[in-house]
Amino acid sequence: MSDDEIMRRLKSFKGISQKILLIILLILPLAGLSGCKPVFTFNGSILNYDIYKTIYVADFPIRAALVYPPLQQTFENEILNYVTRQTKLQVQDTPNADINLSGEITGYSLSPQAVGTDAYATETRLTITVRVKYVDNKNSANNLDQTFSAYRQFSSSLMLTDVQDELCQQISEELATLIFNATLGNW
């Protein structure tokens, strides 16, 4: 907008001081450039990164009656990957972080789900249960101690050893999403 156009518009306003109107017209465009901007996230996480900078993710040992040793590493990797993909938090190796995430794998079980005409199971369900302790060292009102569970079914004609790795990966991904949504995503 040119100075002439501004002055022409100013003259058209009777009863308002031209100086005040000129200031308003000059300040308004600058207000849009002031750095105020809405923050949108697609994962539901709205962390204040001025307050929360670090997270510690502890080991999740297996305390289930049935143990599949690779599960611990699969689950821990998935939690760490999910947190680093969805937040700007720096992962620390010590528990003196702004946020601590710890727990244990408390369940790893198989159960028959569908019975065929010959009275044998046609589907089997693998269920993994994880107890999570979430500690917010900046705001204890956000602390959480909760159990999460997820499962996948597979045909009983398959051997568990043939599908176990894939199922554990899928279940770990689902558990990571559930845990994130209940902790870091619940702001």
Side-chain angles (χ1 to χ4, degrees), residues 11 13 32-33 35 38 41 45 50 67 69-70 80 90 98 111-112 114-115 118-119 143-144 147-148 158 166 170 181:
K11 288 178 185 177
F13 292 101
L33 302 174
T41 61
S45 173
D50 293 331
V67 175
L80 281 170
Q90 296 297 313
D98 299 328
S111 58
V115 179
D118 56 359
N143 291 355
L144 178 77
T147 299
F148 298 88
L158 299 172
E166 181 182 345
Q170 292 172 4
N181 290 339

Side-chain angles (χ1 to χ4, degrees), residues 120-180:
Y120 288 103
T122 58
E123 292 280 316
T124 302
R125 176 179 290 180
L126 172 62
T127 304
I128 298 174
T129 305
V130 179
R131 179 174 172 250
V132 174
K133 186 172 182 183
Y134 174 85
V135 178
D136 182 335
N137 290 317
K138 301 291 185 179
N139 183 359
S140 62
N142 294 329
N143 291 355
L144 178 77
D145 191 343
Q146 185 175 336
T147 299
F148 298 88
S149 213
Y151 65 87
R152 290 290 183 276
Q153 289 185 192
F154 63 98
S155 171
S156 294
S157 65
L158 299 172
M159 296 292 295
L160 175 62
T161 54
D162 294 337
V163 294
Q164 193 165 217
D165 287 334
E166 181 182 345
L167 294 175
C168 286
Q169 180 64 42
Q170 292 172 4
I171 294 170
S172 293
E173 289 171 8
E174 183 177 341
L175 287 168
T177 302
L178 292 171
I179 292 165
F180 180 86

Side-chain angles (χ1 to χ4, degrees), residues 58-61 63 75 101-106 130-133:
D59 291 340
F60 280 76
R63 305 268 191 255
F75 177 75
L101 194 61
S102 61
E104 58 193 4
I105 299 168
T106 58
V130 179
R131 179 174 172 250
V132 174
K133 186 172 182 183

Side-chain angles (χ1 to χ4, degrees), residues 18-120:
Q18 288 184 357
K19 287 184 179 181
I20 293 174
L21 193 53
L22 181 60
I23 291 171
I24 290 171
L25 288 174
L26 293 174
I27 292 177
L28 264 164
L30 295 175
L33 302 174
S34 68
C36 294
K37 59 184 176 190
V39 175
F40 299 99
T41 61
F42 295 105
N43 59 23
S45 173
I46 302 174
L47 285 172
N48 183 344
Y49 292 107
D50 293 331
I51 298 172
Y52 298 98
K53 297 181 183 343
T54 59
I55 187 169
Y56 169 69
V57 180
D59 291 340
F60 280 76
I62 299 174
R63 305 268 191 255
L66 185 61
V67 175
Y68 179 58
L71 173 61
Q72 180 178 350
Q73 191 66 46
T74 300
F75 177 75
E76 289 171 0
N77 287 343
E78 192 54 43
I79 283 284
L80 281 170
N81 288 338
Y82 202 92
V83 167
T84 56
R85 280 191 319 262
Q86 301 296 329
T87 72
K88 295 179 187 176
L89 296 172
Q90 296 297 313
V91 177
Q92 283 190 336
D93 294 334
T94 58
N96 61 348
D98 299 328
I99 297 169
N100 292 341
L101 194 61
S102 61
E104 58 193 4
I105 299 168
T106 58
Y108 184 88
S109 62
L110 295 167
S111 58
Q113 292 303 302
V115 179
T117 55
D118 56 359
Y120 288 103

